[in-house]
């Protein structure tokens, strides 16, 4: 059974000092429900991604808290956690609940408040996505982990700092037109290379920012959409999810994300498409190197060729395979527990023809969300055309 | 489509100073796979409950970590979190993944290591299941929350401390025969009433212990069981999950758990049974009052009558409706992120006729798992009879 996307919304991504976790999520959820022409009472299942709330806000049990504050106490509620892919797991579970026949309406989303704590505390909390015993205790944080991956990639394929910087330039440029994007600024290769060093070879503009934000999507069964006359325009036609070693040390090749390769293969098979059929992509560019690895794992570029994607304009809005037309994590921002559904929001808008960086008449869209340094990956394929 | 339980296992519940989270879970998972006559390579989805690992072990992203250590990197993996009902949410999501047609084999389970930190730190971590802004900050911890619920119940229905104590006496008695139970000791009403006060009216023996433990179950589709000649003997025939206000202050009646009532109604409807059809129950007796509220919410006793369940032997192994023949959370223990699947393990063994406190030829079994003070509840109905 095909699952339909009836409504989507993201709050502005950025800094929300006057909001709380429950308030910010409720803003996104109510806007998505309005977009779907449905009400809170219609929600049967609620799946929410949240990653660091227990560390920064002393608050777990977030699924129930969000259902409660939203007024959807009747719903089954739970929090899903796959590190930075938490919201994509929420969406996948919501779609499965519908496909299983347990529900007709599922609200899926995520929220993260990352400015309630200091930078050191947030960095420490994010490190919980890595292997604590083997990585964190040894002093690795996420910029360090991705820097190692970048070093290996650059060495193996003769890629340059300029190749990485081209990803930032493209995504910042896309972010300027996106009203919810956290970073609304142009940059150029030189500015990226001159931005402060974080972990060699990564500089500040190679890294996504710390972000508060929430995103939500209303998923419905095809039967429900037809019965209630909902004008859905986008279907979830396939998803894949896979795992990998949580610690880098156990991977045979640091310049390759195997979970993403497997998730993509599974998603393509279920959607009955191949990489060539994809028209627009939102993927997990937490660091510039991550976008390059992702476009290779997803099959848009051969291994070692991803570095030329942004440089040669192939991943631009008007390129062969437009990637992160939203600005991506680098410019739109990365509220970790919300990011996966935030990507679905952007792709839905693309397939509905109402995106601020609209690509030309797309039929197939894809999201790619990574947990940690690639120990989790979720790939979701959407198709224009509703119930 | 009916989902089958092919294999189950729990580690001993108690104190595991020589184990880590990943080791303990792997012990349970490998035993469950052996019980199912399946291997690690057969796992397509892995859902694991874990509640306080990010606080006590600086480790989130637990789904991927467990899939990795178990050797199931090919699987979709995620952590589910509904506070103390986290593992039941894992089981429900695993069953939905199968029913949705996304997988034939799902490993569901949970793990919690609660002795790696001091008692104060664990109490603090558990409080994250309540409403931080409105309860924790006001000084409420879980014994206090359930003490409030007990006070209201006792006042409303003239229940006594002795009624509460009878629950402990029964469950401790059941725990003695269960090799995995943490508490292997007899008690009597007088000893419960003389045990140290925790939060009036609850005494130490009204409260479940702090527990390390892991549980796992292998779920398979009916088609897969048939195709692979698996001798499954138990089917998941219905589940329900619902929510309630996370803070007590927003509930009209503290002596009533509405999420449990709704979850039970949904589970009964989906399983096409009524409360009278249930032969054996594992339910969430984190405190004695919780068992009394649960047997009312599940429809085994009228409101206000639950207090006589244990007193009059109706909930004994040979009673009208045997409850917590495993010893329950009070005696078996409560590794929070594992508990829901631990209950499924016990009910599966009952329906297969191999439980240490075997009831007479049961056909229908039920599990009831509560998150927090009742803001989440999952009810699952199992039936003897496999593929």
């Amino acid at each position: 059974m095909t699952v339909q996307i009836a409504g989507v919304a993201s709050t502005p991504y950025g800094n929300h000092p006057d909001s709380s976790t429950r308030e910010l999520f409720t803003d996104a959820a109510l806007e998505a429900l309005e977009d779907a022409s449905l009400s809170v009472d219609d929600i049967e299942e609620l799946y929410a991604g949240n990653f660091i709330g227990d560390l920064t806000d002393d608050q777990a049990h977030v699924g129930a808290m969000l259902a409660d504050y939203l007024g959807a106490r009747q719903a089954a509620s739970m929090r899903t956690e796959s590190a930075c892919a938490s919201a994509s797991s929420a969406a996948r579970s919501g779609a499965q609940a519908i496909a299983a026949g347990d529900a007709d309406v599922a609200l899926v989303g995520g929220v993260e408040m990352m400015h309630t704590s200091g930078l050191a505390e947030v960095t420490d909390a994010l490190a919980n996505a890595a292997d604590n015993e083997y990585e964190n205790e040894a002093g690795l944080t996420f910029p360090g982990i991705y820097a190692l991956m970048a070093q290996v990639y650059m060495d193996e394929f003769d890629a340059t700092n300029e190749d990485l910087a081209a990803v930032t330039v493209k995504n910042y440029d896309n972010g300027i037109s996106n009203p919810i994007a956290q970073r609304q600024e142009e940059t150029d290769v030189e500015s990226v290379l001159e931005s402060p060093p974080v972990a060699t070879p990564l500089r500040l503009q190679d890294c996504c920012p710390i972000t508060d934000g929430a995103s939500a999507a209303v998923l419905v069964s095809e039967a429900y959409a037809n019965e209630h006359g909902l004008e859905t325009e986008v279907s979830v036609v396939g998803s894949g999810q896979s795992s990998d070693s949580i610690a880098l040390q156990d991977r045979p090749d640091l310049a390759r994300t195997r979970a993403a390769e497997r998730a993509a293969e599974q998603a393509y098979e279920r959607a009955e498409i191949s990489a060539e059929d994809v028209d627009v992509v939102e993927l997990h560019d937490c660091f510039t190197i991550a976008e390059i690895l992702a476009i290779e794992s997803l099959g848009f570029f051969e291994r070692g060729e991803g570095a030329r994607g942004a440089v040669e304009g192939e991943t631009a809005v008007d390129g062969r395979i437009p990637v992160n037309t939203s600005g991506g994590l680098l410019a739109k921002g990365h509220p970790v527990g919300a990011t996966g559904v935030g990507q679905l929001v952007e792709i839905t808008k693309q397939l509905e023809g109402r995106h601020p960086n609209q690509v030309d008449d797309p039929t197939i869209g894809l999201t790619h969300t990574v947990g940690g340094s690639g120990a989790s990956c979720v790939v979701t394929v959407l198709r224009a055309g509703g119930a």
Side-chain angles (χ1 to χ4, degrees), chain A residues 28 36 42 53 67 71 76 101 103 117 126 148 158 171 195 219 227 258 265 271 284 319 323 341 368-369 373-374:
Chain A
D42 298 317
S117 309
L126 292 173
L148 286 170
D158 292 326
N171 290 353
S195 66
L219 308 183
E227 197 179 318
R258 300 289 289 267
E265 189 185 341
H284 203 87
V323 169
V341 170
H368 156 281
T369 330
S373 58

Side-chain angles (χ1 to χ4, degrees), chain A residues 204-226:
Chain A
L204 188 61
Q205 291 193 1
D206 286 291
C207 310
C208 68
I210 298 292
T211 310
D212 304 333
S215 292
V218 181
L219 308 183
V220 299
S221 68
E222 201 170 338
Y224 186 93
N226 286 326

Side-chain angles (χ1 to χ4, degrees), chain A residues 330-346:
Chain A
L330 286 166
K332 189 182 58 175
H334 182 25
V336 288
T339 283
V341 170
Q343 295 173 322
L344 291 176
V345 171
E346 301 291 334

Side-chain angles (χ1 to χ4, degrees), chain A residues 90-382:
Chain A
R92 190 162 175 275
S93 288
Q96 286 177 334
I98 290 173
D102 277 357
D104 282 313
V105 181
L107 182 79
V108 301
V111 57
E112 208 75 64
M113 295 295 286
M114 301 178 72
H115 286 103
T116 51
S117 309
L119 184 62
E121 195 181 344
V122 168
T123 304
D124 210 37
L126 292 173
N128 278 16
D131 190 315
N132 185 55
E133 286 181 81
Y134 295 102
E135 296 186 313
N136 305 354
E137 300 277 343
L140 266 178
T141 60
F142 269 93
I145 287 173
Y146 275 91
L148 286 170
M149 296 162 78
Q151 294 277 21
V152 171
Y153 184 92
M154 291 165 79
D155 182 60
E156 197 169 335
F157 299 114
D158 292 326
T160 64
N161 291 312
E162 285 77 6
D163 294 336
L164 297 181
V167 174
T168 301
V169 174
K170 166 181 73 75
N171 290 353
Y172 274 37
D173 193 49
N174 290 344
I176 291 169
S177 330
N178 188 349
I180 73 147
Q182 179 170 7
R183 282 184 172 147
Q184 304 271 356
E185 59 187 277
E186 269 190 280
T187 191
D188 53 29
V189 169
E190 196 166 280
S191 301
V192 180
L193 298 183
E194 283 172 4
S195 66
V198 173
T200 307
L202 304 178
R203 303 229 158 209
L204 188 61
Q205 291 193 1
D206 286 291
C207 310
C208 68
I210 298 292
T211 310
D212 304 333
S215 292
V218 181
L219 308 183
V220 299
S221 68
E222 201 170 338
Y224 186 93
N226 286 326
E227 197 179 318
H228 291 75
L230 302 180
E231 292 168 3
T232 57
E233 297 175 49
V234 176
S235 304
V236 181
V237 289
S239 77
Q241 182 168 349
S242 193
S243 308
D244 200 352
S245 69
I246 184 165
L248 282 187
Q249 67 193 30
D250 289 326
R251 297 192 200 154
D253 186 347
L254 297 197
R256 196 171 164 188
T257 51
R258 300 289 289 267
E261 293 173 16
R262 286 191 286 264
E265 189 185 341
Q266 197 177 66
Y268 291 153
E269 193 185 319
R270 289 178 180 176
E272 299 177 358
I273 63 161
S274 63
E276 293 73 44
D277 299 317
V278 178
D279 300 311
V280 60
V281 179
E282 287 287 320
L283 58 75
H284 203 87
D285 57 326
C286 49
F287 299 93
T288 45
I289 182 64
E291 175 162 319
I292 293 170
L293 295 175
I295 55 180
E296 296 182 6
S297 298
L298 292 167
F300 305 134
F301 289 83
E302 295 294 319
R303 291 200 63 219
E305 297 291 314
R308 66 177 175 81
V311 173
E312 299 183 3
E314 294 203 58
T315 52
V317 174
D318 60 356
R320 173 172 67 87
I321 177 74
V323 169
N324 288 327
T325 64
S326 69
L329 282 56
L330 286 166
K332 189 182 58 175
H334 182 25
V336 288
T339 283
V341 170
Q343 295 173 322
L344 291 176
V345 171
E346 301 291 334
I347 291 294
T348 299
K349 289 184 175 177
Q350 281 285 3
L351 296 178
E352 292 178 346
R354 55 170 170 138
H355 195 277
N357 285 314
Q358 185 64 45
V359 307
D360 186 28
D361 202 20
T363 302
I364 303 279
L366 177 147
T367 64
H368 156 281
T369 330
V370 170
S373 58
S376 297
C377 184
V378 185
V379 172
T380 308
V381 178
L382 307 184

Side-chain angles (χ1 to χ4, degrees), chain A residues 25-26 29 51 54 61 63 109 118 133 140 175 188 235 319 372:
Chain A
F25 180 81
T26 298
F51 186 50
D54 16 22
H61 208 181
E133 286 181 81
L140 266 178
D188 53 29
S235 304

